[in-house]
Amino acid sequence: RLGDLRISGALFTDESYIRKEAGWKTGDLYSQTRLAWKQQDVYATGLFTFVHLDPVAPDSGKALDSSRADFEMRVVERKPSFIGFLTGAGQDANRDLTWDYAFEWGSRNWRGPGRQWSLTARSGFVIVTDWEVLHHRFAARYTEPWPFGIKLPTTLTLAYEPGVHSPVQDYRVERMEGVLDVTRRIRRTMRIWSSLVYERVNIYDIPADRRDDYVEEKGISIKRRFRVA
């Protein structure tokens, strides 16, 4: 049966969190297949570049207990904080050349127990023939891997798109969105994912006689959605 689990190499991550993700319970029946699963579960958190289990020999002078096996889990961590930048240019349907960028800053392991957060800013501009702002989007995301002590990774995302004028019409569209995602693994090859979405859209500077047509054309009708996969 399984004995004690020793963690080595964890500088930023709580050892108790690693044991929870591994599902390590002293006294469980020994299984080589399940030991491989435990390594995979810890690696799947995305916090490590290397995870490996090794059996541990008893200390010198200590009697060998052949009914239980102690292990050491060696890990190599990824740095908790990260910064990301993405950019690109292309042709727009109404403009010669546009430029987009995205900037992200966050932590994949906030304070040790696998919590994640990030702040993202995205923008698009016309850069040839004229200089014009096409869109902005700002988002904040937070993930709790074990809410209420249950392995049910839950992510809350709040996003805001300030209204910018349309490149072809003199009006602007403002969007606010909240998304709650919950994931539950049923088996090793199956998981259920659900998402609750609330979206609010405000349209400014558009003639009243044009509003209904625009809303229908852009499909701005669904304000609340629930999805399951």
Side-chain angles (χ1 to χ4, degrees):
R1 295 187 177 273
L2 297 182
D4 295 330
L5 176 65
R6 181 192 308 167
I7 309 294
S8 64
L11 302 177
F12 309 109
T13 310
D14 290 346
E15 293 187 6
S16 60
Y17 170 70
I18 297 176
R19 288 187 175 88
K20 284 200 303 184
E21 288 292 342
W24 191 274
K25 294 180 181 179
T26 300
D28 278 359
L29 192 64
Y30 178 95
S31 167
Q32 193 66 35
T33 300
R34 287 194 172 93
L35 287 177
W37 290 351
K38 294 180 186 302
Q39 294 177 92
Q40 293 170 13
D41 289 344
V42 174
Y43 184 79
T45 62
L47 306 183
F48 309 99
T49 59
F50 176 82
V51 178
H52 190 70
L53 271 173
D54 293 309
V56 176
D59 295 333
S60 178
K62 186 177 180 180
L64 175 64
D65 184 357
S66 59
S67 66
R68 55 179 281 160
D70 297 332
F71 282 86
E72 177 184 29
M73 179 174 284
R74 294 182 292 120
V75 299
V76 177
E77 294 174 301
R78 301 173 67 188
K79 291 184 178 180
S81 299
F82 65 87
I83 294 177
F85 182 75
L86 177 69
T87 187
Q91 187 175 11
D92 183 78
N94 303 304
R95 295 292 187 271
D96 289 337
L97 189 65
T98 62
W99 172 59
D100 285 57
Y101 83 89
F103 176 81
E104 185 177 22
W105 170 55
S107 173
R108 62 175 60 90
N109 188 13
W110 185 47
R111 296 191 174 182
R115 298 188 182 101
Q116 302 177 21
W117 64 268
S118 68
L119 301 175
T120 307
R122 299 175 181 270
S123 294
F125 305 90
V126 177
I127 58 174
V128 170
T129 305
D130 194 9
W131 176 267
E132 184 178 357
V133 178
L134 290 177
H135 59 82
H136 294 303
R137 179 180 174 87
F138 306 98
R141 178 175 55 86
Y142 175 77
T143 300
E144 178 64 50
W146 286 77
F148 309 109
I150 304 172
K151 191 173 183 179
L152 200 69
T154 302
T155 300
L156 175 64
T157 303
L158 301 176
Y160 174 64
E161 298 179 17
V164 296
H165 284 284
S166 164
V168 294
Q169 299 288 344
D170 190 25
Y171 54 77
R172 57 193 182 91
V173 180
E174 177 190 64
R175 295 177 183 269
M176 289 169 284
E177 184 181 66
V179 182
L180 185 67
D181 291 312
V182 179
T183 304
R184 175 70 174 179
R185 192 176 68 184
I186 307 301
R187 299 176 184 172
R188 298 205 61 80
T189 56
M190 184 182 300
R191 67 176 179 171
I192 184 169
W193 166 81
S194 63
S195 179
L196 181 64
V197 181
Y198 174 79
E199 181 184 76
R200 178 169 179 168
V201 180
N202 296 321
I203 308 173
Y204 298 97
D205 305 326
I206 186 171
D209 59 347
R210 180 77 179 89
R211 177 179 292 270
D212 292 341
D213 292 339
Y214 179 80
V215 168
E216 183 177 355
E217 175 187 339
K218 296 297 183 181
I220 305 175
S221 59
I222 300 176
K223 299 292 184 66
R224 301 169 184 85
R225 300 190 297 272
F226 179 70
R227 301 175 291 196
V228 177

